Amino acid sequence: SPSATPTPTAVATPVPTPPRNPSIPSGNEDWPFKVGEQLNYQVFLGGSNAPVGTANFEVARRSRFFERDGLLLKVKAQTTGTVAKLFVANDAISSYVDPKALLPFRTEFNLAEGRRRLVRTFTINQDRGSATTNTGEKIDIPVGTHDYLSFFYAFRSFNLNPPKRNAISMLVENKAKTIFVSALKREVVDLGGQKIPAIAVSLTTDDPQSDKYQFRLWVSDDSRRLPLRVTCVTELGALRADLVILPATSQ
């Protein structure tokens, strides 16, 4: 039915969780996602319906990483089609997060955009409020600061009933910024012909131009809080990323 919960493509078989230390909080049983969840997006520019890129998010696995219990989150984004012939982008980010608080303790960037290449690692100490790069640069951050990936998953557990507003700290380009997550209103989103009940959300910052990039998110109005659509304004123009939804099978 049109109101049925959408199913993301290429859903991986959940990876068994290794035996855990009883003293470590089990954590993510209450998150609106599970290990193995994959969310695949097509990216569009302007009003075009020809995709210019893809972005693939994955809750990869739960294990011990860097001598602590963690959840590995990944995203890979790349240009496709005719755009890839003009500008090649192939980005990968990995975030290792605490399974209970979903706060990152290590973030790895491997970005290739045209001639630009960035390989950077952040080791994050949430107790001391610091992030240290692989080159030794130390950045002071508020305790409880997210990275891009941990935020993408953590915000799904926020109270998003309009007009609820949440504020979090996020590490953006080597600096902690306050991000305001404001639930705007309930809407219906059309994805590939499927009409899905959603909540529209705005993301603004504590900068003087708080809404410079006009970030908007639509999340499914159900327990999974799937990010269905993301829009923003970039140097290249308006950008839209839509979750790829499997066609509804007729009963």
Side-chain angles (χ1 to χ4, degrees):
S1 67
S3 61
T5 301
T7 304
T9 57
V11 177
T13 302
V15 179
T17 303
R20 71 177 184 89
N21 184 330
S23 67
I24 299 174
S26 55
N28 69 333
E29 287 83 359
D30 294 331
W31 298 114
F33 52 82
K34 291 181 169 60
V35 171
E37 181 193 78
Q38 291 190 20
L39 301 177
N40 302 318
Y41 294 84
Q42 287 187 317
V43 182
F44 305 89
L45 266 180
S48 172
N49 287 320
V52 298
T54 60
N56 310 105
F57 290 79
E58 179 184 7
V59 183
R61 66 183 186 274
R62 169 84 178 272
S63 187
R64 283 192 70 81
F65 302 103
F66 308 101
E67 301 183 349
R68 60 179 293 176
D69 187 35
L71 195 62
L72 174 57
L73 309 174
K74 292 182 174 183
V75 62
K76 289 186 177 180
Q78 59 188 9
T79 50
T80 58
T82 54
V83 170
K85 297 176 183 177
L86 302 172
F87 179 78
V88 176
N90 195 343
D91 296 341
I93 304 173
S94 297
S95 180
Y96 300 84
V97 304
D98 176 85
K100 186 176 183 182
L102 219 68
L103 290 168
F105 55 86
R106 181 183 174 94
T107 311
E108 299 169 349
F109 289 86
N110 193 335
L111 312 181
E113 299 168 351
R115 294 181 179 179
R116 176 177 179 255
R117 186 71 187 267
L118 175 68
V119 178
R120 180 167 293 165
T121 300
F122 291 90
T123 301
I124 301 167
N125 188 318
Q126 294 287 356
D127 296 325
R128 295 180 181 173
S130 69
T132 307
T133 70
N134 52 309
T135 58
E137 180 185 0
K138 188 174 180 180
I139 304 160
D140 291 328
I141 60 173
V143 172
T145 293
H146 283 277
D147 61 18
Y148 299 126
L149 259 180
S150 68
F151 166 77
F152 182 82
Y153 287 93
F155 99 94
R156 292 167 60 182
S157 67
F158 293 177
N159 178 349
L160 296 176
N161 289 314
K164 184 67 177 177
R165 191 183 197 219
N166 297 271
I168 68 150
S169 175
M170 187 195 295
L171 191 58
V172 179
E173 295 179 350
N174 292 20
K175 183 181 178 182
K177 287 185 178 291
T178 300
I179 307 296
F180 299 103
V181 183
S182 304
L184 303 176
K185 57 183 175 178
R186 284 181 161 82
E187 294 183 340
V188 174
V189 171
D190 189 323
L191 285 185
Q194 291 193 50
K195 291 180 168 44
I196 304 167
I199 299 172
V201 176
S202 71
L203 303 182
T204 54
T205 68
D206 54 353
D207 295 315
Q209 289 180 278
S210 62
D211 200 17
K212 179 180 178 181
Y213 298 106
Q214 298 175 41
F215 272 103
R216 299 293 182 270
L217 275 157
W218 284 263
V219 297
S220 61
D221 192 6
D222 59 15
S223 61
R224 292 187 69 188
R225 288 285 193 257
L226 287 170
L228 302 170
R229 172 174 289 160
V230 183
T231 64
C232 64
V233 174
T234 70
E235 293 177 356
L236 299 175
L239 182 145
R240 181 180 96 250
D242 281 355
L243 180 64
V244 177
I245 302 290
L246 287 176
T249 53
S250 55
Q251 299 296 321

